[in-house]
Amino acid sequence: MAARLREELSTWSRPAADRYDEAAREAFGRLTPDDRELLALVGWEGLDSAEIAKVLGCSRGAARLRLHRARKRLARELAAADLDLTTYGLRAVALAEGKS
């Protein structure tokens, strides 16, 4: 009975949200440690560019530039995973296409 249930469950497709979550985690994991740190400071810690500059010991402008580049690389990784970037917002689309 358990074997049959496992077999049946393995044929079910995962919800789209699960696939997107997994793809986003994998894309994040492919970034450099520096990029992951920057994005985590913004996304998880809620720091702004002035606070990030203080943490990193750089100017606010340098922090903004580094963050922009990290976001761009993440958007490209998400695009490479063949995801609909509009799920992450139009800014993600623009970053992946190099328009921003």
Side-chain angles (χ1 to χ4, degrees):
M1 174 76 168
R4 191 176 74 197
L5 180 58
R6 272 193 301 275
E7 182 180 329
E8 184 176 332
L9 288 173
S10 71
T11 63
W12 290 4
S13 65
R14 294 187 325 224
D18 287 349
R19 289 193 309 270
Y20 274 76
D21 288 348
E22 183 177 330
R25 277 191 298 276
E26 289 172 1
F28 187 78
R30 287 191 296 271
L31 297 174
T32 65
D34 288 343
D35 283 350
R36 288 193 306 265
E37 178 184 25
L38 274 169
L39 295 170
L41 287 171
V42 171
W44 294 328
E45 301 298 332
L47 301 184
D48 63 23
S49 57
E51 294 167 320
I52 291 171
K54 191 172 187 176
V55 169
L56 298 179
C58 65
S59 71
R60 187 175 178 183
R64 281 195 313 263
L65 182 60
R66 290 179 189 179
L67 181 58
H68 174 75
R69 289 177 177 166
R71 285 177 171 153
K72 193 174 213 175
R73 286 187 280 268
L74 178 59
R76 287 182 180 153
E77 287 293 337
L78 291 168
D82 201 28
L83 299 175
D84 176 9
L85 289 184
T86 59
T87 302
Y88 301 102
L90 295 178
R91 186 170 181 199
V93 175
L95 286 169
E97 294 173 351
K99 294 180 181 175
S100 178

